Amino acid sequence: MATPDRPPLLKRWATDGTVYLIAGTVVHSFINYVYQLFGARSLGEIEFAPVASLLALSFLMFAVVLLPIEQLVIRAVTFRGGFDRNPRPTIRVAVAGTAVIAVLIAFVGRDRLFAGQNLFIVLVLASVMTHSLYVVGRGQLAGNRRFAAYGGATAGNAMLRLAVAIGLVAIVPSALGVGAALAVGPLIIFVWAASVRLPGEETAHSDESPSRFLASFVLAAAASQVLLLAGPLVAGAMGAAAAEISIIYVTLTIVRAPLVLSGSLVARVLPPLTNLATLGLDAELNRWVVRFAVGGVVIAIPTGILATAIGPDIVALLFGEGFRPTPVFVGLAAAGIVIAGAAMFVGQVLVARGDTTRLAVGWGFALVVAIIALAGSNAEIAVRLGFAFLVGELAALASTAVLSYRVPKSPDGEGDGEPEGA
């Protein structure tokens, strides 16, 4: 609970390492783009194609399975026994399953994805394993409130990856060298070697099963990633020309950039929200649900208007006039991204409570709504996709907010609405 002599929330965040967490995420995002640009320009569009496939597959596995593992670790460490049994077996099974699925996809598609280079299958496996160590380590750092170290690990991953790529390409320019750097970068987590150990078994405070927690979380993450990433694929299935698919892809890539920063801030807000859930302070959690939801809608409206006005010029400036999108599509996509970020933060209340089943229900409902919105529109393809994306994210925000809101068991929790230790 908040006390009168506690400093303001922003002041505490400025001194507890949160600034370094944010800075590390910004550095990671920038260097990640530099890494991709370096690889593309060093290898050319043809030889870089296997690296692009490796990046796409690795990102998908990271977003759908490994990030939920990180949040499971954060909750287990923060809660000090927030599950009914040791989470280690669940984490090991999830990592092994992810590795098997990724390797099978790489093996079956090795000719189409990796130009028949079998060593890329090894890189897929290596990337899953090293990123698994990475998310476990970052989860322990965040759960122990070592936010500066979390930011250092995030930035260090990208910096080591770029350095290794430059070094290997300097020796022998090849797609394998650029791809290998992706698997090496996460090893920066061994700077904080103690954090790589899986969380142990503590006295349980909850009947939540770690396997049920993670399985539901993965389903929710999969649904959310389909909404975020499926646009170009859906456009192709709807008969869009190659140029239009490219425009949709680069536009969504640009507008998704703020969501990367929001993703790391999740690691900052989850520990204090988990503390509130541990104490059963539903009134304070409800206030955060309202703040996240209302704040997302309020920010989305001017963001969409501004993106409609200047978004096409920004895309054309970065990628060329041939990639200029329609103003309506950019506005819809930008507003949808803001709503997606708000829904992600609202969902953290369910994660803090260990109720990821409701999280999966909310995002599954959102995906169905987006499909209905897509089928019910007769506009041009890009506008239809933008509209369906925005409507789907609004459905995600509304459903997760409703599912997160609880009637408090008692009138307790009348503090300032800030989690203890926030």
Side-chain angles (χ1 to χ4, degrees):
M1 290 292 293
T3 57
D5 59 345
R6 293 178 71 198
L9 182 64
L10 291 179
K11 185 175 181 179
R12 296 199 303 275
W13 282 26
T15 58
D16 67 357
T18 300
V19 171
Y20 293 99
L21 181 150
I22 296 172
T25 303
V26 172
V27 169
H28 178 275
S29 300
F30 175 74
I31 295 182
N32 182 50
Y33 281 115
V34 174
Y35 163 75
Q36 295 182 57
L37 182 62
F38 169 78
R41 294 200 172 187
S42 299
L43 303 175
E45 64 274 15
I46 296 177
E47 193 173 349
F48 183 71
V51 178
S53 298
L54 175 65
L55 288 169
L57 183 56
S58 296
F59 175 80
L60 184 62
M61 297 298 158
F62 187 81
V64 173
V65 182
L66 299 187
L67 276 182
I69 288 176
E70 179 176 291
Q71 293 186 275
L72 182 151
V73 173
I74 292 173
R75 187 171 183 272
V77 173
T78 302
F79 211 163
R80 301 301 179 191
F83 298 99
D84 65 350
R85 60 182 67 92
N86 194 328
R88 290 179 181 176
T90 295
I91 293 173
R92 288 169 178 152
V93 169
V95 170
T98 303
V100 169
I101 292 173
V103 167
L104 284 176
I105 293 173
F107 178 78
V108 172
R110 64 189 183 279
D111 292 329
R112 181 168 51 88
L113 297 175
F114 304 119
Q117 300 183 63
N118 290 327
L119 283 177
F120 269 94
I121 301 175
V122 177
L123 292 183
V124 168
L125 175 61
S127 177
V128 170
M129 300 310 294
T130 58
H131 278 90
S132 298
L133 293 171
Y134 176 69
V135 297
V136 168
R138 287 204 315 177
Q140 300 244 38
L141 293 173
N144 287 309
R145 309 185 66 80
R146 298 181 61 190
F147 301 123
Y150 185 101
T154 303
N157 177 13
M159 294 169 68
L160 180 58
R161 179 199 310 166
L162 178 60
V164 170
I166 292 173
L168 291 177
V169 169
I171 298 171
V172 180
S174 71
L176 284 170
V178 177
L182 180 68
V184 175
L187 296 178
I188 194 70
I189 196 65
F190 280 101
V191 171
W192 303 271
S195 69
V196 180
R197 294 195 303 268
L198 291 174
E201 188 170 12
E202 303 275 359
T203 302
H205 298 289
S206 163
D207 61 359
E208 179 67 23
S209 163
S211 58
R212 185 169 64 247
F213 174 96
L214 189 58
S216 300
F217 204 160
V218 167
L219 289 175
S224 68
Q225 290 303 313
V226 168
L227 280 174
L228 284 171
L229 303 176
L233 299 178
V234 174
M238 294 171 65
E244 188 172 13
I245 294 174
S246 296
I247 291 171
I248 292 170
Y249 174 79
V250 299
T251 301
L252 292 176
T253 298
I254 291 174
V255 299
R256 276 199 305 265
L259 207 58
V260 176
L261 175 60
S262 300
S264 285
L265 285 175
V266 161
R268 175 60 186 87
V269 302
L270 183 55
L273 290 177
T274 301
N275 286 334
L276 289 180
T278 306
L279 297 172
L281 299 179
D282 291 326
E284 291 194 22
L285 286 172
N286 288 343
R287 279 193 284 272
W288 282 101
V289 169
V290 173
R291 287 169 176 165
F292 291 144
V294 174
V297 174
V298 169
I299 296 172
I301 294 173
T303 298
I305 294 173
L306 183 63
T308 300
I310 67 173
D313 292 332
I314 293 175
V315 176
L317 177 65
L318 293 174
F319 289 91
E321 279 296 326
F323 289 89
R324 179 181 289 273
T326 63
V328 174
F329 173 60
V330 183
L332 291 170
I337 286 294
V338 174
I339 298 297
M344 180 174 61
F345 281 102
V346 169
Q348 291 309 297
V349 173
L350 291 171
V351 176
R353 289 185 175 129
D355 195 357
T356 52
T357 299
R358 292 194 178 200
L359 188 66
V361 170
W363 279 103
F365 169 74
L367 185 57
V368 171
V369 170
I371 293 172
I372 294 174
L374 183 67
S377 173
N378 294 318
E380 62 180 78
I381 292 177
V383 173
R384 289 174 65 183
L385 284 173
F387 175 72
F389 173 63
L390 176 58
V391 170
E393 296 297 348
L394 283 169
L397 179 60
S399 59
T400 54
V402 169
L403 293 171
S404 299
Y405 200 91
R406 283 186 181 179
V407 177
K409 298 178 182 178
S410 71
D412 190 20
E414 296 299 326
D416 64 1
E418 297 172 9
E420 177 69 26

